[in-house]
């Protein structure tokens, strides 16, 4: 009975830790801008116009969510600044694009387009995007489900230092060991 309780407790703790890490990394697109300055569209727009690629990506994301201006202008500005960020080498812009399409911010949800942007972000070294590529293959979101490819992406992400991927691999290994010990 103690082993079963331990296994259940370990599962809950590891799931909570994995979820907490994902929330920390990707609670929402707005949460990725942690300071008031990073959420201020005027400040970010000024920095973006001065050539700051990170500010370009933030500006694009902020324009996508801006409710005070017309939808058409917001989405045009969102696309413009996200594309500029990509041109300037910012891989977060791929991730932001993916999230915007995944959530349906540009209209209806488009999991295939979201996957394409996650894949582009992963191909350009964005480890958060790579984690989402793993999830897409694992769950069949925007791409055919492929557990083998999912594992390949997860391993590659962890090897590259992706926190979410590393935590997930460690959690799964701990659960596997616990199950063996309980049998």
């Amino acid at each position: 009975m103690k082993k079963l309780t331990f296994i259940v407790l370990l599962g809950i703790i590891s799931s909570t830790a994995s979820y907490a890490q994902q929330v920390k990394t990707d609670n929402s697109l707005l949460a990725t801008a942690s300071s008031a300055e990073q959420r201020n569209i005027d400040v970010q727009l000024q920095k973006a116009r001065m050539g700051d690629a990170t500010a370009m990506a933030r500006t694009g994301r902020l324009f996508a969510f801006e409710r005070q201006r017309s939808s058409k202008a917001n989405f045009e500005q969102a696309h413009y600044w996200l594309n500029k960020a990509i041109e300037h080498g910012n891989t977060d812009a791929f991730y932001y694009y993916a999230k915007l399409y995944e959530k349906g911010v540009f209209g209806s949800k488009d999991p295939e387009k979201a996957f394409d942007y996650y894949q582009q972000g992963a191909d350009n070294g964005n480890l958060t995007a790579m984690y989402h590529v793993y999830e897409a293959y694992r769950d069949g979101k925007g791409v055919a489900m492929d557990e083998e490819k999912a594992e390949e992406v997860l391993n590659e992400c962890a090897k590259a230092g992706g926190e979410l991927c590393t935590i997930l691999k460690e959690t799964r290994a701990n659960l596997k060991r616990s199950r063996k010990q309980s049998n």
Side-chain angles (χ1 to χ4, degrees), residues 10-147:
L10 181 62
I12 291 170
I13 291 169
S14 61
S15 296
T16 303
S18 179
Y19 177 74
Q21 182 62 34
Q22 182 162 353
V23 167
K24 177 181 162 192
T25 303
D26 178 30
N27 187 19
S28 73
L29 290 175
L30 292 176
T32 60
S34 57
S35 72
E37 179 182 307
Q38 291 172 342
R39 290 186 304 269
N40 185 317
I41 196 164
D42 296 322
V43 170
Q44 293 305 311
L45 186 57
Q46 182 179 10
K47 289 180 176 186
R49 287 180 176 146
M50 293 178 4
D52 182 331
T54 300
M56 289 174 191
R58 287 181 186 144
T59 299
R61 183 196 64 233
L62 291 169
F63 267 118
F65 285 104
E66 182 79 13
R67 301 290 186 223
Q68 288 84 16
R69 304 174 194 218
S70 74
S71 293
K72 185 174 171 45
N74 288 345
F75 295 149
E76 285 175 7
Q77 288 294 310
H79 285 291
Y80 174 81
W81 286 109
L82 288 170
N83 288 336
K84 283 293 252 191
I86 289 169
E87 288 172 18
H88 285 83
N90 183 288
T91 63
D92 288 341
F94 290 114
Y95 170 77
Y96 295 152
Y97 254 134
K99 276 299 182 189
L100 293 168
Y101 280 109
E102 184 178 328
K103 293 180 180 295
V105 173
F106 290 129
S108 60
K109 294 179 180 183
D110 191 337
E112 290 84 15
K113 208 165 205 170
F115 175 78
D116 184 48
Y117 278 108
Y118 282 135
Q119 185 65 63
Q120 288 180 63
D123 290 345
N124 284 282
N126 187 296
L127 298 176
T128 303
M130 190 178 285
Y131 175 82
H132 287 280
V133 169
Y134 152 75
E135 279 190 337
Y137 279 116
R138 182 194 67 196
D139 301 337
K141 295 188 299 187
V143 67
M145 188 183 307
D146 185 335
E147 289 182 28

Side-chain angles (χ1 to χ4, degrees), residues 123-179:
D123 290 345
N124 284 282
N126 187 296
L127 298 176
T128 303
M130 190 178 285
Y131 175 82
H132 287 280
V133 169
Y134 152 75
E135 279 190 337
Y137 279 116
R138 182 194 67 196
D139 301 337
K141 295 188 299 187
V143 67
M145 188 183 307
D146 185 335
E147 289 182 28
E148 190 175 305
K149 181 69 175 170
E151 285 303 308
E152 181 183 310
V153 172
L154 182 65
N155 291 333
E156 184 181 331
C157 178
K159 186 177 178 180
E163 243 183 298
L164 287 173
C165 299
T166 302
I167 289 170
L168 180 59
K169 284 180 62 73
E170 289 171 358
T171 300
R172 289 176 17 182
N174 289 338
L175 287 172
K176 189 175 182 179
R177 275 192 297 276
S178 295
R179 286 184 189 132

